[in-house]
Structures are given as structure tokens and as C-alpha cells.
Amino acid sequence: MKIIKAKTAGFCFGVDRAVNMTYQLLGQGVPVATLGPLIHNPQCVDDLAARGAITVDRAEDVPPGCQVVIRSHGVPETVYDALRARGIIYHDATCPFVAKIHRLARRAGQEGRVLLVAGDRAHPEVQGIVGHACGEVHIFADLSELEKICQEIDGKSGVFAVAQTTFEVKKWRECTNFLKKVYTNPQIFDTICNATWARQQEAERLSRMCDCMVVIGGRHSSNTQKLAAVAGKHTRTILVETAAELEPAWFWGVQTVGVTAGASTPSSIIEEVLSSMSEEIREEEMSFEEMIDASMKPVYSGKAVKGVVTAITPSEVQVDIGTKQTGFVKLEELTNDPSAKVEDLVKKGDELDLIVTKVNDQEGIVYLSKKRFDENKGKEEVAAAVESGEIMEGDVTESNSGGVVVLVNNVRVFVPRSQATLRHSEDYTKLVKQHVRLRIKQCEGRHIVGSIREVLAEEADAKREAFWQNVEIGKHYTGTVKSLTNYGAFVDIGGVDGLVHISELSWDRIKHPSEVVKVGDVIDVYVKDLDTENKKVSLGFKKVEDDPWVKFKAEYPIGSVFTAPVVSITKFGAFVRILPGVDGLVHISEISRDRVEKVSDVLSVGQEVQVKLIDVDYDKKRISLSMKALLNEAPVQEDAAEEAAE
Ligand code: F3S
């Protein structure tokens, strides 16, 4: 048995859009209610319910906190009013083709014409259309009903005729031919959706060549029923909702079977049915006429066009590209920024440069991308920068084990980690979210490579040159500590690293520079010495005014008496800490009037002793103290040093 699947089988654009919108909201954890089942497919509706979507009949029944999705059929104006009155957030998935009929319905009333709607009066789409009319409206299901209406109405002021999007094409032709005969200037709008028309056409063609037709879809779906009706005129036709309903006996003796599906049938169900029936499956091939047609199309994938924004929703914009098709640009095709909102990017009436990404002629839809246009334009600029060597700018969007990606004029430029930072030791992942300058080194197809390091190195060279032109001994700089060694700290003072020797870091004796500074510290330094030939700079850090010897000289004249701790003991005496960095010696002979054999017999480290300053050699930085000298004197007060200093 040969199975031929119709190309047009399955979700139409409008249903696909509504279903995606709902799954997206559920995926974001939004509590969703749909006004009526979202689509005429029980399996899909059950799946949405399993994910938390609820179905209500009226805006008044929406539970508090729920956001509403208006299905592709659309709703009357009063429903929008009710939602707004209750402050309910709603997402309008009304199919743009249906929304267009709503506008026509309003226009009929505004122009004082009678509105004639071809369709099923019980169908929500027809009720929605009627709910947007503001004048006289009549609904008809076929020619005989239309004839009756036309006998009763006064059509002098003119008539507007529209059709439910899924109305049968043949019936519509009969009705419109009649209207043209009865009225001198009827306004007839062919609002039957191309998707429906194309499905019906294909179903009819397939049914003529097959022994049997299988139509997959919800039994309550109007377009599925019509597909079955159209196919049933030419061959035995079976309508199934799922693969489970298939019976092998139906296909005994069948050579060729055609399969189509309604516009609200998910592809997963179609695939299930096909694999249950499977033996040989082939898609219907394009006819020669269709191929000629396709080649003549003015709109094709990859074409650059201009589009004027006609409508905005949170997930897409609708654009007029000056052809019969309706254009759509999804949010993700507008911008690379995942947090951006459509309304912040474009507004109605804006003209956008776009690239066509997909054309669906059957449904009259064109998908477009602004991002792709910007990328193409950006790519030209990036390619030109390879030649010119121009420095480009961009934002680092991500990092990986190989390097970082920089978005330059909407083009992804890869920067290897070796080219991302000036020093190899630097963490290149910290560049993410930073704005950087870079040179484009290569642009071949998708292989676009840049170097941030090259620009940084040039900038550092320029800084270095400026430094050596202006530097002089004694000049102060604010620098950043770049690295530490046992003998000092290297400090970047603007493209040049100078060394602060360990002895220059502190007036105290320290064992390692890390006792005073750490990498990344911003410190004030001054130039102590320069070696212009070898391009070396010695820096000073500790300040003269902090020199404890300066303080000592000012505050401790000869004869001062003060109390201070013993910090070390030697054979020849004890060292006493006068100030941090300034120690004085009490010689063994200056400890007592009695003979002292061993210093440690009378003094210990940490002991506070009262001493008198008896001599200082500032050149050799030697201070002589005496305890013995105080034994000949009257008791001395603690603040003697201050008094002596005065
Ligand atoms: Fe819209 Fe046509 Fe489908 S009107 S909902 S695309 S059948």
C-alpha cells in the first residue's frame, strides 16, 4: 500500500502561534486560562491541561491570578472589555487573518453597510466577527440562506460580505456570484484563509488519485470536517482523531491511500498515524506548474526587504512588506538581547530592514529577520576591517575554554584566550559583559577571529612612550600592584612597571612585601631612581614624614627619660623598643650600679624598664640608653620625655 501524505497536513500558522504562545507562558510558570479549548484537538488540549492550563467559557470565570490566552478564533469586543474591567492580563493569539475580518466588520458598520457573514453561526470565530460589528449583520451558511436574507434586507446602502476563514471555497464562490448579480456594487472580501483553501485543494486532488483518504483531526474541528467532506466526494474517506482508531480492515485491497490533517492537528499525532499505517510513505511532489509559480515569486528566502510595522505582540511584530503576504518577525529575530521587550525595540509605523527567512505561500505568510539583516550588514563592515586594520568595538557576550565571543556590529567574533588579555596570567573570563576594542584578524565565512591583546599592546606602547617622555625623579604616581617577589612589589604606573624594593615598603623591618601590600592594591608611589637605558624605574612608597627616626629626633632629646619594653637580650646588653623601627641599647654596664654578670639575670624580654637617653649616633643609627643613670637621681616622672623635649 502506497501512502501519500499531503504537504499541507497539520497545524496552520495561526494555531501554531497560539499553541506556542501558551506553551511558552506555561514554561515560564504563568498560570494560564484559555477562553474555550485552545484548539479543536482533544489530545493537545489534554496535554496543555496536564501542564496546568485551564479552560473557562467566560472572562468572568477566570480565577484570580490567571493570565488569559485568547485563541486563534478571536473573541467579540465585549470579551476584551470584560477582561480589562477585571484587570486580567491577556495574550491575544487571535489569528491575524481573523483580526483582519474584525476590522472589516467594524468598517461595514462605520460606513452604514449591511454586513453579511458566510459561516457557521455556532462557531466561535463567527461569533467573534459578529461581536466586532457595529451595524446590521446577517449570517448565512449557504446560497439558499443568503438568497432568503437578500429578499428581506434593504441593501440600498450597500453590503459588505466576509467569510469565516474555514468556509468552503466552492460555496463561497456560489454566494459571491449571487451577490454580484443582486447588488450593483457589493463589497466582497475573500477572507477564506489560504491555509484552509490550500488544504481543501490538496485534499480534493489527493482524493481523486487515491483509493482511500484518511483525514486526521478533532471531530469538532470545522476545517477537519470540511477536509473530510471535500475528500469524501471523490473517494472513501475516514476521519480519525488518533492512531488508536485505525483498523487494518479499512485498508484491505487498497493500493494508494492519501493522508491529510486539519489545521489544528499536532504533527506528533500525524506521525503516529503514519507510522501505524506505514509501508511506503511519500510526500506529494510539487507539480510542474507549482515549480514555475515558485520560481516567479517576488519574495524568497534570503531576499532583503523593507517592512513597515503594522502590529505588535509581546513575542513578534507584524510587518507589511508590500506584497500580498503578511510578514512576521519573531522577537528572537529582532534582537540578540533575551531580556528585550518588543515594545521597547519597535513601534507601529517603523520601517525595518529585514531578510526573508521562510515563505509559506499556502498560508500567505513570510517570516523575516532583522537580526539576519543587521548581521549581514555588520559582516560587511567586519570584513572591511580586516583589510583596513580599523579598530572595532563590541561587547563580550560569553567565554569558553578556547576564548571569548565578542558581538561586533551584530557579528559574533571569536577571540582566542591568547589574544584576549595583555598578560597570559590575567583571567580572560572576567571580560564577559565588558565593552572591548579589538582588531579583526580573519573573516572567512563563519570563521571570524579577532584580537583584543593587539589593541591593548598598542595602547600600552603608547602609554609607555608618553611615560618616558614625562617621567622625572620625585614625580608621584598612582599605580596598581601587579606582582610581589621576595625583594619587592612591581607596580604598574601607567604602562610601565616600577619596582618598590622591600626596604622601601615600610620603615619597619618586614620579611615579605605581602605584609604591606597585595596584588591589585592601588597605591601612591614616587620615582626614586631611573635607568633610562634599561628602562627600569625604582619607586618609593614609604613617606619621609612617617620615618620613625625623624619622629625620634624631634621628640627624644638627650637626657629624656621614658619607659619602654625590652625587645631582645644579647651578651652585651638589652635592646629596648623606643618607637616602632627605633630600638636603643642599654649596655650591660648601664643596667645597674652593681656588676651584672649576665643580662638575662636581671632583665627579660617584654619587661618594661625606665631608661635615660644618654647618647645618639644618627649616622650609624645607634642609641645608647642607661638604667643606671637614673639610680643616682630622684624618681623621675613618666612624662619626662615630653618635658625634656620642651
Ligand atoms: Fe489563521 Fe488560517 Fe489557521 S485563519 S488560524 S491560519 S486556518
Side-chain angles (χ1 to χ4, degrees), residues 278-312:
S278 71
E279 268 189 27
E280 184 189 341
I281 303 175
R282 75 180 174 90
E283 305 266 338
E284 201 193 359
E285 280 160 15
M286 223 186 227
S287 70
F288 181 67
E289 288 82 355
E290 283 173 323
M291 280 160 60
I292 296 278
D293 237 23
S295 66
M296 311 260 299
K297 272 172 215 141
V299 178
Y300 51 86
S301 289
K303 185 178 182 183
V305 294
K306 285 197 186 292
V308 176
V309 178
T310 53
I312 291 177

PDB file of all heavy atoms in Angstrom, residues 278-312:
ATOM      1  N   SER A 278       2.250   2.743   8.088  1.00  0.00           N
ATOM      2  CA  SER A 278       3.408   2.806   7.203  1.00  0.00           C
ATOM      3  C   SER A 278       3.710   1.557   6.415  1.00  0.00           C
ATOM      4  O   SER A 278       3.529   0.455   6.865  1.00  0.00           O
ATOM      5  CB  SER A 278       4.643   3.159   7.998  1.00  0.00           C
ATOM      6  OG  SER A 278       4.977   2.055   8.775  1.00  0.00           O
ATOM      7  N   GLU A 279       4.116   1.804   5.277  1.00  0.00           N
ATOM      8  CA  GLU A 279       4.764   0.848   4.378  1.00  0.00           C
ATOM      9  C   GLU A 279       5.613   1.708   3.489  1.00  0.00           C
ATOM     10  O   GLU A 279       6.802   1.806   3.646  1.00  0.00           O
ATOM     11  CB  GLU A 279       3.726   0.048   3.587  1.00  0.00           C
ATOM     12  CG  GLU A 279       3.382  -1.242   4.305  1.00  0.00           C
ATOM     13  CD  GLU A 279       2.548  -2.165   3.489  1.00  0.00           C
ATOM     14  OE1 GLU A 279       2.617  -2.110   2.243  1.00  0.00           O
ATOM     15  OE2 GLU A 279       1.819  -2.966   4.099  1.00  0.00           O
ATOM     16  N   GLU A 280       4.936   2.398   2.638  1.00  0.00           N
ATOM     17  CA  GLU A 280       5.707   3.312   1.786  1.00  0.00           C
ATOM     18  C   GLU A 280       5.041   4.672   1.901  1.00  0.00           C
ATOM     19  O   GLU A 280       3.855   4.831   1.647  1.00  0.00           O
ATOM     20  CB  GLU A 280       5.657   2.828   0.348  1.00  0.00           C
ATOM     21  CG  GLU A 280       6.503   3.654  -0.581  1.00  0.00           C
ATOM     22  CD  GLU A 280       6.248   3.289  -2.020  1.00  0.00           C
ATOM     23  OE1 GLU A 280       5.717   2.206  -2.286  1.00  0.00           O
ATOM     24  OE2 GLU A 280       6.572   4.114  -2.871  1.00  0.00           O
ATOM     25  N   ILE A 281       5.798   5.633   2.364  1.00  0.00           N
ATOM     26  CA  ILE A 281       5.220   6.965   2.528  1.00  0.00           C
ATOM     27  C   ILE A 281       5.944   7.938   1.619  1.00  0.00           C
ATOM     28  O   ILE A 281       7.161   7.936   1.546  1.00  0.00           O
ATOM     29  CB  ILE A 281       5.370   7.452   3.988  1.00  0.00           C
ATOM     30  CG1 ILE A 281       4.701   6.442   4.908  1.00  0.00           C
ATOM     31  CG2 ILE A 281       4.808   8.830   4.180  1.00  0.00           C
ATOM     32  CD1 ILE A 281       4.874   6.722   6.368  1.00  0.00           C
ATOM     33  N   ARG A 282       5.226   8.711   0.902  1.00  0.00           N
ATOM     34  CA  ARG A 282       5.919   9.769   0.170  1.00  0.00           C
ATOM     35  C   ARG A 282       5.081  11.034   0.232  1.00  0.00           C
ATOM     36  O   ARG A 282       3.847  10.986   0.255  1.00  0.00           O
ATOM     37  CB  ARG A 282       6.232   9.359  -1.268  1.00  0.00           C
ATOM     38  CG  ARG A 282       5.096   9.363  -2.217  1.00  0.00           C
ATOM     39  CD  ARG A 282       5.554   8.936  -3.607  1.00  0.00           C
ATOM     40  NE  ARG A 282       4.405   8.819  -4.475  1.00  0.00           N
ATOM     41  CZ  ARG A 282       3.934   9.810  -5.191  1.00  0.00           C
ATOM     42  NH1 ARG A 282       4.503  10.987  -5.152  1.00  0.00           N
ATOM     43  NH2 ARG A 282       2.875   9.630  -5.961  1.00  0.00           N
ATOM     44  N   GLU A 283       5.775  12.131   0.302  1.00  0.00           N
ATOM     45  CA  GLU A 283       5.093  13.422   0.297  1.00  0.00           C
ATOM     46  C   GLU A 283       4.641  13.694  -1.124  1.00  0.00           C
ATOM     47  O   GLU A 283       5.288  13.271  -2.076  1.00  0.00           O
ATOM     48  CB  GLU A 283       6.070  14.531   0.712  1.00  0.00           C
ATOM     49  CG  GLU A 283       6.740  14.295   2.023  1.00  0.00           C
ATOM     50  CD  GLU A 283       6.028  14.957   3.185  1.00  0.00           C
ATOM     51  OE1 GLU A 283       5.292  15.911   2.936  1.00  0.00           O
ATOM     52  OE2 GLU A 283       6.223  14.472   4.307  1.00  0.00           O
ATOM     53  N   GLU A 284       3.566  14.385  -1.241  1.00  0.00           N
ATOM     54  CA  GLU A 284       3.132  14.727  -2.593  1.00  0.00           C
ATOM     55  C   GLU A 284       4.159  15.653  -3.204  1.00  0.00           C
ATOM     56  O   GLU A 284       4.641  16.577  -2.560  1.00  0.00           O
ATOM     57  CB  GLU A 284       1.775  15.415  -2.545  1.00  0.00           C
ATOM     58  CG  GLU A 284       1.092  15.317  -3.852  1.00  0.00           C
ATOM     59  CD  GLU A 284      -0.095  16.253  -3.926  1.00  0.00           C
ATOM     60  OE1 GLU A 284      -0.362  16.945  -2.944  1.00  0.00           O
ATOM     61  OE2 GLU A 284      -0.702  16.295  -4.983  1.00  0.00           O
ATOM     62  N   GLU A 285       4.519  15.379  -4.448  1.00  0.00           N
ATOM     63  CA  GLU A 285       5.547  16.203  -5.070  1.00  0.00           C
ATOM     64  C   GLU A 285       4.946  17.451  -5.696  1.00  0.00           C
ATOM     65  O   GLU A 285       3.788  17.498  -6.044  1.00  0.00           O
ATOM     66  CB  GLU A 285       6.272  15.386  -6.130  1.00  0.00           C
ATOM     67  CG  GLU A 285       7.307  14.493  -5.486  1.00  0.00           C
ATOM     68  CD  GLU A 285       7.683  13.363  -6.388  1.00  0.00           C
ATOM     69  OE1 GLU A 285       7.369  13.419  -7.582  1.00  0.00           O
ATOM     70  OE2 GLU A 285       8.296  12.421  -5.875  1.00  0.00           O
ATOM     71  N   MET A 286       5.799  18.428  -5.880  1.00  0.00           N
ATOM     72  CA  MET A 286       5.357  19.692  -6.464  1.00  0.00           C
ATOM     73  C   MET A 286       5.050  19.493  -7.945  1.00  0.00           C
ATOM     74  O   MET A 286       5.814  18.830  -8.649  1.00  0.00           O
ATOM     75  CB  MET A 286       6.514  20.679  -6.333  1.00  0.00           C
ATOM     76  CG  MET A 286       6.093  22.033  -5.902  1.00  0.00           C
ATOM     77  SD  MET A 286       7.505  23.106  -5.957  1.00  0.00           S
ATOM     78  CE  MET A 286       7.352  23.879  -4.404  1.00  0.00           C
ATOM     79  N   SER A 287       3.942  20.015  -8.374  1.00  0.00           N
ATOM     80  CA  SER A 287       3.634  19.890  -9.798  1.00  0.00           C
ATOM     81  C   SER A 287       4.513  20.851 -10.587  1.00  0.00           C
ATOM     82  O   SER A 287       5.095  21.791 -10.029  1.00  0.00           O
ATOM     83  CB  SER A 287       2.174  20.226 -10.043  1.00  0.00           C
ATOM     84  OG  SER A 287       1.981  21.602  -9.833  1.00  0.00           O
ATOM     85  N   PHE A 288       4.569  20.622 -11.894  1.00  0.00           N
ATOM     86  CA  PHE A 288       5.384  21.481 -12.748  1.00  0.00           C
ATOM     87  C   PHE A 288       4.916  22.942 -12.643  1.00  0.00           C
ATOM     88  O   PHE A 288       5.711  23.865 -12.498  1.00  0.00           O
ATOM     89  CB  PHE A 288       5.283  20.976 -14.194  1.00  0.00           C
ATOM     90  CG  PHE A 288       6.120  21.781 -15.145  1.00  0.00           C
ATOM     91  CD1 PHE A 288       7.507  21.750 -15.049  1.00  0.00           C
ATOM     92  CD2 PHE A 288       5.522  22.572 -16.119  1.00  0.00           C
ATOM     93  CE1 PHE A 288       8.274  22.496 -15.914  1.00  0.00           C
ATOM     94  CE2 PHE A 288       6.299  23.321 -16.979  1.00  0.00           C
ATOM     95  CZ  PHE A 288       7.674  23.285 -16.886  1.00  0.00           C
ATOM     96  N   GLU A 289       3.569  23.109 -12.644  1.00  0.00           N
ATOM     97  CA  GLU A 289       3.015  24.476 -12.557  1.00  0.00           C
ATOM     98  C   GLU A 289       3.447  25.141 -11.254  1.00  0.00           C
ATOM     99  O   GLU A 289       3.801  26.310 -11.228  1.00  0.00           O
ATOM    100  CB  GLU A 289       1.477  24.445 -12.601  1.00  0.00           C
ATOM    101  CG  GLU A 289       0.865  24.104 -13.923  1.00  0.00           C
ATOM    102  CD  GLU A 289       0.837  22.595 -14.179  1.00  0.00           C
ATOM    103  OE1 GLU A 289       1.376  21.813 -13.354  1.00  0.00           O
ATOM    104  OE2 GLU A 289       0.328  22.216 -15.196  1.00  0.00           O
ATOM    105  N   GLU A 290       3.415  24.350 -10.190  1.00  0.00           N
ATOM    106  CA  GLU A 290       3.794  24.907  -8.884  1.00  0.00           C
ATOM    107  C   GLU A 290       5.253  25.326  -8.870  1.00  0.00           C
ATOM    108  O   GLU A 290       5.620  26.343  -8.291  1.00  0.00           O
ATOM    109  CB  GLU A 290       3.545  23.880  -7.779  1.00  0.00           C
ATOM    110  CG  GLU A 290       2.073  23.765  -7.409  1.00  0.00           C
ATOM    111  CD  GLU A 290       1.810  22.622  -6.437  1.00  0.00           C
ATOM    112  OE1 GLU A 290       2.460  21.570  -6.563  1.00  0.00           O
ATOM    113  OE2 GLU A 290       0.960  22.795  -5.569  1.00  0.00           O
ATOM    114  N   MET A 291       6.078  24.509  -9.561  1.00  0.00           N
ATOM    115  CA  MET A 291       7.503  24.853  -9.603  1.00  0.00           C
ATOM    116  C   MET A 291       7.727  26.153 -10.366  1.00  0.00           C
ATOM    117  O   MET A 291       8.496  27.021  -9.970  1.00  0.00           O
ATOM    118  CB  MET A 291       8.296  23.711 -10.248  1.00  0.00           C
ATOM    119  CG  MET A 291       8.551  22.592  -9.269  1.00  0.00           C
ATOM    120  SD  MET A 291       8.933  21.034 -10.018  1.00  0.00           S
ATOM    121  CE  MET A 291      10.357  21.364 -10.935  1.00  0.00           C
ATOM    122  N   ILE A 292       6.993  26.295 -11.497  1.00  0.00           N
ATOM    123  CA  ILE A 292       7.108  27.529 -12.293  1.00  0.00           C
ATOM    124  C   ILE A 292       6.685  28.713 -11.417  1.00  0.00           C
ATOM    125  O   ILE A 292       7.357  29.737 -11.325  1.00  0.00           O
ATOM    126  CB  ILE A 292       6.181  27.467 -13.536  1.00  0.00           C
ATOM    127  CG1 ILE A 292       6.626  26.338 -14.457  1.00  0.00           C
ATOM    128  CG2 ILE A 292       6.114  28.804 -14.253  1.00  0.00           C
ATOM    129  CD1 ILE A 292       7.759  26.671 -15.360  1.00  0.00           C
ATOM    130  N   ASP A 293       5.548  28.481 -10.737  1.00  0.00           N
ATOM    131  CA  ASP A 293       5.000  29.509  -9.861  1.00  0.00           C
ATOM    132  C   ASP A 293       6.014  29.959  -8.828  1.00  0.00           C
ATOM    133  O   ASP A 293       6.248  31.144  -8.621  1.00  0.00           O
ATOM    134  CB  ASP A 293       3.843  28.861  -9.091  1.00  0.00           C
ATOM    135  CG  ASP A 293       2.575  29.623  -9.318  1.00  0.00           C
ATOM    136  OD1 ASP A 293       2.521  30.308 -10.342  1.00  0.00           O
ATOM    137  OD2 ASP A 293       1.677  29.499  -8.455  1.00  0.00           O
ATOM    138  N   ALA A 294       6.622  28.954  -8.198  1.00  0.00           N
ATOM    139  CA  ALA A 294       7.586  29.231  -7.123  1.00  0.00           C
ATOM    140  C   ALA A 294       8.763  30.037  -7.634  1.00  0.00           C
ATOM    141  O   ALA A 294       9.245  30.957  -6.976  1.00  0.00           O
ATOM    142  CB  ALA A 294       8.072  27.925  -6.526  1.00  0.00           C
ATOM    143  N   SER A 295       9.200  29.686  -8.866  1.00  0.00           N
ATOM    144  CA  SER A 295      10.373  30.384  -9.384  1.00  0.00           C
ATOM    145  C   SER A 295      10.064  31.843  -9.717  1.00  0.00           C
ATOM    146  O   SER A 295      10.956  32.665  -9.844  1.00  0.00           O
ATOM    147  CB  SER A 295      10.901  29.657 -10.619  1.00  0.00           C
ATOM    148  OG  SER A 295       9.939  29.766 -11.637  1.00  0.00           O
ATOM    149  N   MET A 296       8.789  32.151  -9.935  1.00  0.00           N
ATOM    150  CA  MET A 296       8.425  33.522 -10.305  1.00  0.00           C
ATOM    151  C   MET A 296       8.140  34.388  -9.075  1.00  0.00           C
ATOM    152  O   MET A 296       7.846  35.566  -9.213  1.00  0.00           O
ATOM    153  CB  MET A 296       7.145  33.511 -11.154  1.00  0.00           C
ATOM    154  CG  MET A 296       7.172  32.532 -12.281  1.00  0.00           C
ATOM    155  SD  MET A 296       7.559  33.225 -13.864  1.00  0.00           S
ATOM    156  CE  MET A 296       6.278  34.370 -14.123  1.00  0.00           C
ATOM    157  N   LYS A 297       8.189  33.792  -7.888  1.00  0.00           N
ATOM    158  CA  LYS A 297       7.780  34.553  -6.704  1.00  0.00           C
ATOM    159  C   LYS A 297       8.703  35.723  -6.441  1.00  0.00           C
ATOM    160  O   LYS A 297       9.911  35.587  -6.499  1.00  0.00           O
ATOM    161  CB  LYS A 297       7.809  33.634  -5.486  1.00  0.00           C
ATOM    162  CG  LYS A 297       6.512  32.915  -5.314  1.00  0.00           C
ATOM    163  CD  LYS A 297       6.668  31.899  -4.240  1.00  0.00           C
ATOM    164  CE  LYS A 297       5.832  30.700  -4.609  1.00  0.00           C
ATOM    165  NZ  LYS A 297       6.474  29.481  -4.277  1.00  0.00           N
ATOM    166  N   PRO A 298       8.115  36.880  -6.137  1.00  0.00           N
ATOM    167  CA  PRO A 298       8.979  38.025  -5.870  1.00  0.00           C
ATOM    168  C   PRO A 298       9.629  37.942  -4.487  1.00  0.00           C
ATOM    169  O   PRO A 298      10.591  38.616  -4.227  1.00  0.00           O
ATOM    170  CB  PRO A 298       8.027  39.214  -5.959  1.00  0.00           C
ATOM    171  CG  PRO A 298       6.684  38.646  -5.688  1.00  0.00           C
ATOM    172  CD  PRO A 298       6.706  37.208  -6.083  1.00  0.00           C
ATOM    173  N   VAL A 299       9.065  37.134  -3.610  1.00  0.00           N
ATOM    174  CA  VAL A 299       9.627  37.028  -2.258  1.00  0.00           C
ATOM    175  C   VAL A 299      10.231  35.640  -2.096  1.00  0.00           C
ATOM    176  O   VAL A 299       9.581  34.648  -2.369  1.00  0.00           O
ATOM    177  CB  VAL A 299       8.520  37.229  -1.201  1.00  0.00           C
ATOM    178  CG1 VAL A 299       9.087  37.067   0.190  1.00  0.00           C
ATOM    179  CG2 VAL A 299       7.906  38.600  -1.352  1.00  0.00           C
ATOM    180  N   TYR A 300      11.488  35.592  -1.672  1.00  0.00           N
ATOM    181  CA  TYR A 300      12.144  34.304  -1.498  1.00  0.00           C
ATOM    182  C   TYR A 300      13.109  34.394  -0.319  1.00  0.00           C
ATOM    183  O   TYR A 300      13.516  35.497   0.079  1.00  0.00           O
ATOM    184  CB  TYR A 300      12.902  33.906  -2.772  1.00  0.00           C
ATOM    185  CG  TYR A 300      13.816  34.996  -3.279  1.00  0.00           C
ATOM    186  CD1 TYR A 300      15.105  35.130  -2.787  1.00  0.00           C
ATOM    187  CD2 TYR A 300      13.359  35.925  -4.208  1.00  0.00           C
ATOM    188  CE1 TYR A 300      15.922  36.147  -3.218  1.00  0.00           C
ATOM    189  CE2 TYR A 300      14.175  36.953  -4.643  1.00  0.00           C
ATOM    190  CZ  TYR A 300      15.462  37.061  -4.151  1.00  0.00           C
ATOM    191  OH  TYR A 300      16.271  38.092  -4.565  1.00  0.00           O
ATOM    192  N   SER A 301      13.433  33.242   0.237  1.00  0.00           N
ATOM    193  CA  SER A 301      14.324  33.221   1.398  1.00  0.00           C
ATOM    194  C   SER A 301      15.658  33.857   1.045  1.00  0.00           C
ATOM    195  O   SER A 301      16.220  33.569  -0.010  1.00  0.00           O
ATOM    196  CB  SER A 301      14.581  31.786   1.843  1.00  0.00           C
ATOM    197  OG  SER A 301      13.424  31.290   2.410  1.00  0.00           O
ATOM    198  N   GLY A 302      16.134  34.718   1.930  1.00  0.00           N
ATOM    199  CA  GLY A 302      17.425  35.363   1.700  1.00  0.00           C
ATOM    200  C   GLY A 302      17.285  36.743   1.085  1.00  0.00           C
ATOM    201  O   GLY A 302      18.237  37.520   1.065  1.00  0.00           O
ATOM    202  N   LYS A 303      16.063  37.085   0.615  1.00  0.00           N
ATOM    203  CA  LYS A 303      15.883  38.395  -0.025  1.00  0.00           C
ATOM    204  C   LYS A 303      15.847  39.506   1.048  1.00  0.00           C
ATOM    205  O   LYS A 303      15.251  39.326   2.104  1.00  0.00           O
ATOM    206  CB  LYS A 303      14.577  38.398  -0.812  1.00  0.00           C
ATOM    207  CG  LYS A 303      14.374  39.669  -1.608  1.00  0.00           C
ATOM    208  CD  LYS A 303      13.110  39.639  -2.419  1.00  0.00           C
ATOM    209  CE  LYS A 303      13.021  40.933  -3.215  1.00  0.00           C
ATOM    210  NZ  LYS A 303      11.821  41.048  -3.988  1.00  0.00           N
ATOM    211  N   ALA A 304      16.494  40.635   0.748  1.00  0.00           N
ATOM    212  CA  ALA A 304      16.445  41.782   1.669  1.00  0.00           C
ATOM    213  C   ALA A 304      15.233  42.628   1.304  1.00  0.00           C
ATOM    214  O   ALA A 304      15.028  42.938   0.128  1.00  0.00           O
ATOM    215  CB  ALA A 304      17.718  42.596   1.553  1.00  0.00           C
ATOM    216  N   VAL A 305      14.394  42.931   2.273  1.00  0.00           N
ATOM    217  CA  VAL A 305      13.194  43.739   2.013  1.00  0.00           C
ATOM    218  C   VAL A 305      13.044  44.797   3.103  1.00  0.00           C
ATOM    219  O   VAL A 305      13.691  44.715   4.143  1.00  0.00           O
ATOM    220  CB  VAL A 305      11.912  42.863   1.998  1.00  0.00           C
ATOM    221  CG1 VAL A 305      11.916  41.886   0.845  1.00  0.00           C
ATOM    222  CG2 VAL A 305      11.731  42.144   3.323  1.00  0.00           C
ATOM    223  N   LYS A 306      12.151  45.759   2.824  1.00  0.00           N
ATOM    224  CA  LYS A 306      11.806  46.733   3.863  1.00  0.00           C
ATOM    225  C   LYS A 306      10.403  46.407   4.343  1.00  0.00           C
ATOM    226  O   LYS A 306       9.541  46.049   3.525  1.00  0.00           O
ATOM    227  CB  LYS A 306      11.851  48.152   3.294  1.00  0.00           C
ATOM    228  CG  LYS A 306      13.269  48.647   3.094  1.00  0.00           C
ATOM    229  CD  LYS A 306      13.301  50.145   2.941  1.00  0.00           C
ATOM    230  CE  LYS A 306      14.699  50.640   2.597  1.00  0.00           C
ATOM    231  NZ  LYS A 306      15.655  50.480   3.685  1.00  0.00           N
ATOM    232  N   GLY A 307      10.166  46.477   5.631  1.00  0.00           N
ATOM    233  CA  GLY A 307       8.839  46.167   6.159  1.00  0.00           C
ATOM    234  C   GLY A 307       8.391  47.259   7.111  1.00  0.00           C
ATOM    235  O   GLY A 307       9.190  47.758   7.902  1.00  0.00           O
ATOM    236  N   VAL A 308       7.111  47.629   7.027  1.00  0.00           N
ATOM    237  CA  VAL A 308       6.561  48.636   7.937  1.00  0.00           C
ATOM    238  C   VAL A 308       5.768  47.907   9.022  1.00  0.00           C
ATOM    239  O   VAL A 308       4.927  47.054   8.715  1.00  0.00           O
ATOM    240  CB  VAL A 308       5.658  49.628   7.169  1.00  0.00           C
ATOM    241  CG1 VAL A 308       5.010  50.610   8.129  1.00  0.00           C
ATOM    242  CG2 VAL A 308       6.458  50.351   6.110  1.00  0.00           C
ATOM    243  N   VAL A 309       6.069  48.225  10.278  1.00  0.00           N
ATOM    244  CA  VAL A 309       5.415  47.544  11.397  1.00  0.00           C
ATOM    245  C   VAL A 309       3.931  47.917  11.434  1.00  0.00           C
ATOM    246  O   VAL A 309       3.572  49.094  11.466  1.00  0.00           O
ATOM    247  CB  VAL A 309       6.090  47.929  12.741  1.00  0.00           C
ATOM    248  CG1 VAL A 309       5.384  47.272  13.913  1.00  0.00           C
ATOM    249  CG2 VAL A 309       7.561  47.549  12.718  1.00  0.00           C
ATOM    250  N   THR A 310       3.064  46.873  11.409  1.00  0.00           N
ATOM    251  CA  THR A 310       1.619  47.137  11.440  1.00  0.00           C
ATOM    252  C   THR A 310       0.977  46.695  12.757  1.00  0.00           C
ATOM    253  O   THR A 310      -0.090  47.168  13.113  1.00  0.00           O
ATOM    254  CB  THR A 310       0.910  46.413  10.277  1.00  0.00           C
ATOM    255  OG1 THR A 310       1.275  45.026  10.333  1.00  0.00           O
ATOM    256  CG2 THR A 310       1.298  46.982   8.936  1.00  0.00           C
ATOM    257  N   ALA A 311       1.595  45.771  13.452  1.00  0.00           N
ATOM    258  CA  ALA A 311       1.047  45.333  14.747  1.00  0.00           C
ATOM    259  C   ALA A 311       2.172  44.760  15.593  1.00  0.00           C
ATOM    260  O   ALA A 311       3.187  44.292  15.074  1.00  0.00           O
ATOM    261  CB  ALA A 311      -0.030  44.276  14.540  1.00  0.00           C
ATOM    262  N   ILE A 312       1.957  44.841  16.927  1.00  0.00           N
ATOM    263  CA  ILE A 312       2.983  44.370  17.873  1.00  0.00           C
ATOM    264  C   ILE A 312       2.335  43.455  18.901  1.00  0.00           C
ATOM    265  O   ILE A 312       1.266  43.760  19.413  1.00  0.00           O
ATOM    266  CB  ILE A 312       3.620  45.585  18.591  1.00  0.00           C
ATOM    267  CG1 ILE A 312       4.455  46.397  17.609  1.00  0.00           C
ATOM    268  CG2 ILE A 312       4.464  45.149  19.751  1.00  0.00           C
ATOM    269  CD1 ILE A 312       5.046  47.650  18.213  1.00  0.00           C
TER     270      ILE A 312
END
